[in-house]
């Protein structure tokens, strides 16, 4: 299945001598959507295929051994992520060398540069999202690079999701490019927020715990496995502390998370672009365990659940 309207397939072939983007030859250090790559090793080579959205992109890349430098131009105000699917590389973001293997990764903030070496032939997911994705979570990204840990609960599922997204033409879907782009932003933002490596290179905004928790719930509401305990862990506070903070605002974490999911479900159910998406699938994509649960929550919060979407696949 081809990429949906609003997104387009793209291919990259990079080496120390030249680059080919979407079949067109360019200089070796051409802007690729996921940064500028340069290498002095004549044997180094990267080939990638993926999808470019209006605000972001994702590629699955096959990379040969050798050193490479990546530059993320500050003017583009984006965050570049690299997630290792297979293989091994070393990176030196802060003066200390780190080895990154499967499900681990790296990030570059706006204006960041990083040198790394692929120690063996590797498969890597490369993606970029607007820096505003991080800002919406209450963090301001510095111009640093850093390491994304492989042992967080989100590392493997997010990497797998991005790989599927990069292979969009091989994996039929009824979702529009708009919603796929939203998923790209949400999944990438959640991964960044949950990584200690990311926290080491960001400055937390002055927002209080309550608004930050609400924003994180909006980012992660589509994940049915997310719970108030998950939100507390990602914000580095205890569940009891999170509950106390919500109580001071006349709210509760579980209620707020249900509201966030109900708002997303209401948006999708009443959006003509998703008219052909089954209600059962919309419920799943809104973070609900079933369409019955979704309708109960919508009724509880007095949302109009009327939709032209089909009731089943």
């Amino acid at each position: 299945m081809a990429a949906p309207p609003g997104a387009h397939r793209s291919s990259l072939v990079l080496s120390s001598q030249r680059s080919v983007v979407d079949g067109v030859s360019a200089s070796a250090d051409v802007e690729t959507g996921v940064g500028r790559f340069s290498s002095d090793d004549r044997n180094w080579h990267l080939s990638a295929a993926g999808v470019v959205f209006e605000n972001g992109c994702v590629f699955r890349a096959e990379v040969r051994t050798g050193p490479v430098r990546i530059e993320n131009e500050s003017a583009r105000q984006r965050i570049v992520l690299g997630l290792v699917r297979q293989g091994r590389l070393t990176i030196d973001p802060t003066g200390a060398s780190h080895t990154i293997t499967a499900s681990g990764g790296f990030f570059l903030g706006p204006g960041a540069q990083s040198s790394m070496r692929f120690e063996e032939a590797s498969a890597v997911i490369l993606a970029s999202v607007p820096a505003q994705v991080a800002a919406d979570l209450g963090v301001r990204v510095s111009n640093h690079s850093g390491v994304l840990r492989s042992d967080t609960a989100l590392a493997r599922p997010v990497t797998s999701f991005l790989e599927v997204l990069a292979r969009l033409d091989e994996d039929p879907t009824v979702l529009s490019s708009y919603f796929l782009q939203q998923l790209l932003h949400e999944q990438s933002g959640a991964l960044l927020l949950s990584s200690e490596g990311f926290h080491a290179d960001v400055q937390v905004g002055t927002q209080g715990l309550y608004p930050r928790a609400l924003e994180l719930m909006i980012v992660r509401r589509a994940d049915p496995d997310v719970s108030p305990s998950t939100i507390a862990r990602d914000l580095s506070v205890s569940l009891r502390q999170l509950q106390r903070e919500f109580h001071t605002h006349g709210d509760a974490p579980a209620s707020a998370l249900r509201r966030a999911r109900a708002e997303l479900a209401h948006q999708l159910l009443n959006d003509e672009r998703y008219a052909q998406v089954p209600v059962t699938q919309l419920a799943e994509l809104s973070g609900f365990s079933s369409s019955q649960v979704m309708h109960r929550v919508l009724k509880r919060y007095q949302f109009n659940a009327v939709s032209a979407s089909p009731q089943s696949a």
Side-chain angles (χ1 to χ4, degrees), residues 53-306:
F53 296 94
E54 182 180 2
N55 293 300
C57 61
V58 58
F59 292 89
R60 187 185 191 280
E62 300 288 342
V63 190
R64 292 181 187 171
T65 58
V68 64
R69 185 170 183 81
I70 306 177
E71 176 186 357
N72 182 23
E73 296 178 349
S74 59
R76 296 185 182 273
Q77 285 300 296
R78 69 188 170 195
I79 302 170
V80 172
L81 300 90
L83 301 170
V84 177
R85 201 73 173 110
Q86 179 182 340
R88 179 168 57 94
L89 64 90
T90 55
I91 186 172
D92 185 14
T94 57
S97 180
H98 295 267
T99 298
I100 301 175
T101 55
S103 294
F106 60 87
F107 71 89
L108 285 78
Q113 302 180 36
S114 185
S115 296
M116 60 191 72
R117 180 179 182 84
F118 287 86
E119 304 294 347
E120 55 188 69
S122 302
V124 181
I125 307 301
L126 297 169
S128 70
V129 296
Q132 188 64 37
V133 169
D136 288 343
L137 293 173
V139 293
R140 185 172 66 256
V141 186
S142 68
N143 61 346
H144 293 165
S145 60
V147 175
L148 297 172
R149 290 173 49 189
S150 62
D151 58 351
T152 66
L154 287 172
R156 288 185 181 277
V158 171
T159 301
S160 297
F161 166 76
L162 294 180
E163 181 170 30
V164 170
L165 192 54
R167 295 178 181 270
L168 191 58
D169 62 335
E170 301 174 6
D171 191 358
T173 176
V174 293
L175 300 178
S176 72
S177 60
Y178 169 80
F179 193 63
L180 288 170
Q181 179 178 270
Q182 290 299 107
L183 286 173
L184 170 62
H185 292 179
E186 292 175 1
Q187 297 287 320
S188 300
L191 180 63
L192 288 167
L193 192 64
S194 67
S195 173
E196 289 185 6
F198 181 68
H199 280 297
D201 287 318
V202 300
Q203 297 178 341
V204 179
T206 57
Q207 285 184 303
L209 177 58
Y210 181 67
R212 290 177 59 214
L214 291 178
E215 289 175 348
L216 182 55
M217 287 177 181
I218 290 174
V219 168
R220 302 201 59 191
R221 60 189 172 180
D223 184 347
D225 294 328
V226 169
S227 66
S229 296
T230 310
I231 299 298
R233 183 175 65 247
D234 287 348
L235 292 173
S236 301
V237 299
S238 68
L239 177 59
R240 186 176 296 275
Q241 181 180 351
L242 186 68
Q243 291 170 332
R244 285 198 302 265
E245 179 69 16
F246 271 70
H247 182 71
T248 63
H249 291 81
D251 201 354
S255 298
L257 186 55
R258 282 193 296 268
R259 286 199 310 273
R261 286 171 170 156
E263 289 168 357
L264 176 58
H266 177 256
Q267 171 189 333
L268 297 178
L269 285 165
N270 293 279
D271 191 326
E272 293 182 356
R273 291 172 295 185
Y274 308 111
Q276 299 306 311
V277 181
V279 169
T280 52
Q281 190 172 0
L282 290 179
E284 179 182 349
L285 293 169
S286 301
F288 291 104
S289 58
S290 69
S291 59
Q292 291 82 4
V293 173
M294 178 185 71
H295 283 298
R296 284 201 299 270
V297 175
L298 285 169
K299 184 177 180 179
R300 176 176 180 178
Y301 291 107
Q302 300 181 334
F303 281 107
N304 174 18
V306 175

Side-chain angles (χ1 to χ4, degrees), residues 7-88:
H8 64 272
R9 296 289 305 171
S10 182
S11 63
L12 305 172
V13 179
L14 310 178
S15 69
S16 61
Q17 290 83 35
R18 70 187 185 106
S19 300
V20 179
V21 179
D22 295 336
V24 179
S25 295
S27 61
D29 63 345
V30 67
E31 165 59 38
T32 65
V34 285
R36 293 182 181 274
F37 293 71
S38 59
S39 176
D40 295 329
D41 188 335
R42 295 179 62 86
N43 293 319
W44 182 82
H45 181 272
L46 178 152
S47 61
V51 180
V52 176
F53 296 94
E54 182 180 2
N55 293 300
C57 61
V58 58
F59 292 89
R60 187 185 191 280
E62 300 288 342
V63 190
R64 292 181 187 171
T65 58
V68 64
R69 185 170 183 81
I70 306 177
E71 176 186 357
N72 182 23
E73 296 178 349
S74 59
R76 296 185 182 273
Q77 285 300 296
R78 69 188 170 195
I79 302 170
V80 172
L81 300 90
L83 301 170
V84 177
R85 201 73 173 110
Q86 179 182 340
R88 179 168 57 94

